[in-house]
Amino acid sequence: MKSGSIIWNAGLLILLAAVPLLAHHSFAMYDHTKTITLKGSVTKFQWTNPHAYIEMDVTEKGAVKHYSVECTSINMMQRAGWRSNILKFGDQVKAIIAPLNSGQPGGLLLELTLPSGKVMDPGVPAANTFTRTPEK
Amino acid sequence: MRLALLVCALCVLAPLDAIAQRGAAANTPDITGSWERHRGGPGQARETIPPAAPQPPLKPEFLKEWQDRNRAAREADAKGTPLANNATLCLPEGMPGMMGATFPMEILQSKGQVTVIEEAFTQVRRILLDQPQKAVDDVEPGFYGHSVGRWEGDTLAVDTVGVKENVRYQNVPHSANMRIRERLHLVTPDVLWNEITIEDPATFEKPWTFTIAYRRMPGYQLLEYICEDNREFADENGLQKIRIGPTER
């Protein structure tokens, strides 16, 4: 059992070491230790490369705060089932993001729940290295 | 009489030419199609996965430069303030980075040429078959360099020179005289290996050889990739930053 876990850990290390090769852009700007859950209204879905962006307004303590949410390449997203018309202005969505280390109102999308309830994965490389904070 | 001879000669030569072309097509492996990086995984035969790449055999001063750069990048990542690099600026990978197939890759075989298209950044390189290689000084430095190739049995042997010094694979430094040799061959009908050897006596103690494997993606058509709006940028300290804020609807 012990040796099995050593092998597994070694495999994980190799996997982590290989991670930079799987992505063109670094996601180190984002906090890997916590996530925040945004519930708000889509103001724009920017369907572009190198990355797509979801612009959204979130009401926090009675005031509207704007967030920019970075996704991945639209090529990767298409391979994961995303389409350019999957979001439109005014859609109410839930986004789980890794916040920007800079404190700016933005983050990296790890999971999006569409108005239909369907959950979309943007295919962030090494998404499992981001620690999820339980939703309040 | 002369006309009759010419017509007769054409009658003989035309079929021979057709046979020659068919023969070439029949004798060279068909590697046309879409490919993705093959790193193994469930259901994949282990023997089709090449061994991991060794560390680049750089000369001590270049090895130190490379290790220092990698350490600085790791430390910057750990601080959450990554260093900007070519990817931050949406520049293509060039050679040999594009052959890493981070995104799907298409190979097209046509008469006298093999073309490789990498989906990410819409990178394109042309391998001219059975042509002499140019001297490095006769090639304007670029991202992909000048590639010539020939079939040696079942192996496509490719030679590339003329890659710009700032086009670096995994940050590994090289001189303008770097030469990249590739040997592409099918190890199974659906797995292609590319044995890459980088020669650069100015920076390497000996050639650096590693193998990248690809597997077929039946039916996959490459998607468009244009860096239309890159919000990431390098700040005055060389750090990667991002433009955020509301944009027009």
Side-chain angles (χ1 to χ4, degrees):
Chain A
M1 185 63 194
K2 197 177 178 185
S3 65
S5 75
I6 287 168
I7 289 166
W8 191 88
N9 285 332
L12 184 69
L13 279 177
I14 290 164
L15 196 69
L16 290 174
V19 159
L21 304 178
L22 299 171
H24 290 114
H25 293 242
S26 170
F27 290 120
M29 286 187 298
Y30 297 101
D31 192 337
H32 282 56
T33 65
K34 66 177 183 220
T35 55
I36 56 176
T37 300
L38 305 176
K39 290 176 183 168
S41 176
V42 173
T43 61
K44 186 178 181 181
F45 184 31
Q46 180 185 319
W47 184 256
T48 59
N49 271 326
H51 291 165
Y53 289 85
I54 300 168
E55 298 293 340
M56 57 190 291
D57 285 338
V58 178
T59 303
E60 293 176 354
K61 297 170 188 164
V64 174
K65 187 172 177 181
H66 187 85
Y67 284 85
S68 295
V69 178
E70 184 172 21
C71 308
T72 55
S73 157
I74 59 175
N75 299 52
M76 290 170 66
M77 292 167 75
Q78 283 175 81
R79 287 192 279 278
W82 291 68
R83 297 285 309 278
S84 60
N85 61 2
I86 205 166
L87 287 173
K88 63 180 190 300
F89 181 84
D91 276 354
Q92 298 297 310
V93 296
K94 183 176 91 172
I96 298 174
I97 67 167
L100 273 165
N101 289 320
S102 65
Q104 294 167 290
L108 176 67
L109 184 68
L110 298 175
E111 185 182 304
L112 183 78
T113 306
L114 297 173
S116 66
K118 187 176 180 187
V119 177
M120 301 298 293
D121 178 352
V124 169
N128 60 343
T129 62
F130 290 88
T131 303
R132 300 274 183 112
T133 306
E135 195 181 330
K136 287 170 188 166
Chain B
M1 183 62 187
R2 277 187 184 171
L3 184 66
L5 274 175
L6 183 64
V7 169
C8 196
L10 284 174
C11 292
V12 174
L13 289 175
L16 282 178
D17 186 47
I19 289 165
Q21 279 191 33
R22 273 206 306 275
N27 290 333
T28 53
D30 179 6
I31 58 171
T32 288
S34 296
W35 300 85
E36 64 184 323
R37 183 71 181 258
H38 179 54
R39 299 178 189 273
Q44 303 290 337
R46 187 169 293 182
E47 58 273 19
T48 64
I49 313 300
Q55 179 171 288
L58 290 161
K59 290 183 173 177
E61 65 269 35
F62 297 106
L63 184 65
K64 184 176 185 313
E65 178 198 328
W66 182 65
Q67 288 171 334
D68 288 349
R69 175 70 174 73
N70 288 346
R71 188 180 307 112
R74 277 198 307 274
E75 287 172 2
D77 279 357
K79 282 193 288 187
T81 54
L83 302 180
N85 55 28
N86 278 6
T88 310
L89 305 175
C90 244
L91 289 170
E93 298 153 294
M95 277 298 292
M98 69 170 279
M99 298 307 287
T102 305
F103 280 15
M105 189 176 87
E106 185 173 31
I107 298 176
L108 300 171
Q109 291 165 277
S110 56
K111 190 176 180 184
Q113 183 173 314
V114 174
T115 307
V116 183
I117 305 169
E118 160 61 25
E119 186 177 280
F121 307 100
T122 317
Q123 300 176 85
V124 180
R125 67 185 286 233
R126 295 168 181 83
I127 300 164
L128 308 177
L129 297 179
D130 304 317
Q131 300 275 325
Q133 180 59 291
K134 292 182 177 181
V136 174
D137 286 348
D138 293 336
V139 180
E140 291 303 335
F143 278 74
Y144 310 110
H146 184 264
S147 296
V148 296
R150 61 177 181 169
W151 285 100
E152 296 176 357
D154 289 342
T155 298
L156 177 62
V158 184
D159 184 274
T160 300
V161 295
V163 177
K164 292 180 92 148
E165 288 172 79
N166 63 338
V167 174
R168 291 182 171 192
Y169 176 60
Q170 296 183 353
N171 292 327
V172 175
H174 66 86
S175 76
N177 291 316
M178 174 178 69
R179 179 176 295 277
I180 304 168
R181 297 188 195 276
E182 294 167 275
R183 296 186 64 81
L184 291 119
H185 68 281
L186 292 167
V187 294
T188 75
D190 295 321
V191 174
L192 179 68
W193 276 23
N194 186 8
E195 185 188 285
I196 299 174
T197 299
I198 301 178
E199 299 172 5
D200 189 23
T203 53
F204 285 58
E205 289 189 322
K206 59 177 185 178
W208 183 28
T209 299
F210 52 90
T211 300
I212 292 172
Y214 318 98
R215 60 172 174 256
R216 287 192 196 272
M217 298 178 79
Y220 182 80
Q221 292 183 328
L222 261 64
L223 301 172
E224 176 181 294
Y225 188 112
I226 308 289
C227 269
E228 183 180 353
D229 183 13
N230 182 20
R231 293 201 192 187
E232 291 172 2
F233 61 94
D235 73 2
E236 62 277 13
N237 298 315
L239 301 178
Q240 178 184 310
K241 291 290 166 60
I242 189 167
R243 188 186 87 236
I244 63 157
T247 56
E248 289 176 18
R249 179 179 169 182

